[in-house]
Amino acid sequence: GTGPSKRGGAHRVPLRLCTGWQKMPGDMPSVLVAPRSVPVVASPVRRSQPTGPCKLFVDLVLEDGTPGATIRVLALRNHFAHSITVRVRDRFGAWSDVVRDTTLMSDPHYEDDAKTVCVFLMPGDGVSLEPQGIFRIYVSNPSPRWGDDVRVTHVAVYEHGNPDTILADTKKRVQQSIREARGGENLTNTSLR
């Protein structure tokens, strides 16, 4: 990375299972089940206001012809977002909060954990996403240092699956994307742990 690091050394992309949301009774058990992704289309990163400081967001909508689904797991790669908020809109236009201001970075001014791969369990029995509904992920960072670099990438949602398996799959997708961007360079010991 190019920003400051509390460790002082070269920044490496850590990989961890984020625990920003507490498991509650009735949450999806961590059983060995093959992940079942929900086919969604992600919007480009958008702004909540046309100018000035604001939250950025990504909308996920079901692919055409996909019936409604219950989202129980969210996976993503953070890119300088200090916190995320997840909201869902039903087919009638009513918004509801799923999670508010969940911290992804320990300090918004340092890049030590700015590019982590995160997997979150949705609260309760999951979040219902209907056709014509929207699953919105707001990202923000109060530090002016990162500017337009704040976003999430490699976003995927799942009806079920073991969080550790989903984390490993997301890591592979991130590594493949970096490898392709670098022209096939071997990333075994360079970018992800």
Side-chain angles (χ1 to χ4, degrees):
T2 58
S5 171
K6 288 182 181 177
R7 292 189 309 260
H11 176 70
R12 292 183 179 262
V13 179
L15 182 69
R16 64 186 165 121
L17 180 65
C18 291
T19 57
W21 301 332
Q22 297 294 321
K23 287 185 75 169
M24 300 191 172
D27 277 355
M28 183 193 77
S30 294
V31 294
L32 296 176
V33 176
R36 182 172 173 191
S37 64
V38 177
V40 293
V41 177
S43 73
V45 175
R46 297 182 181 157
R47 299 174 55 84
S48 61
Q49 300 176 26
T51 60
C54 66
K55 288 197 175 188
L56 305 173
F57 64 91
V58 173
D59 283 341
L60 303 179
V61 296
L62 293 170
E63 287 184 359
D64 287 341
T66 302
T70 299
I71 297 171
R72 292 185 176 90
V73 183
L74 165 66
L76 56 85
R77 181 181 188 207
N78 184 25
H79 194 84
F80 297 100
H82 177 254
S83 66
I84 65 170
T85 292
V86 176
R87 301 188 79 206
V88 67
R89 188 183 82 183
D90 66 23
R91 67 178 178 253
F92 304 110
W95 286 97
S96 60
D97 291 342
V98 176
V99 174
R100 301 224 17 112
D101 298 319
T102 298
T103 302
L104 300 181
M105 292 174 63
S106 58
D107 187 322
H109 304 289
Y110 293 93
E111 69 174 12
D112 293 333
D113 54 356
K115 294 184 180 180
T116 54
V117 174
C118 300
V119 173
F120 301 99
L121 299 178
M122 296 289 102
D125 292 330
V127 178
S128 178
L129 181 59
E130 305 167 328
Q132 293 86 41
I134 297 174
F135 185 92
R136 180 170 286 176
I137 305 166
Y138 288 94
V139 296
S140 63
N141 189 323
S143 175
R145 168 164 292 164
W146 312 119
D148 292 334
D149 287 335
V150 177
R151 63 185 176 278
V152 291
T153 61
H154 300 85
V155 178
V157 289
Y158 298 84
E159 286 189 286
H160 59 72
N162 180 289
D164 293 322
T165 303
I166 292 170
L167 182 66
D169 289 348
T170 305
K171 176 185 174 184
K172 287 178 190 174
R173 287 188 302 116
V174 169
Q175 287 175 327
Q176 181 62 34
S177 176
I178 294 170
R179 190 176 297 113
E180 289 171 2
R182 293 183 178 171
E185 178 182 335
N186 184 347
L187 301 177
T188 306
N189 296 316
T190 58
S191 297
L192 296 174
R193 293 182 200 173

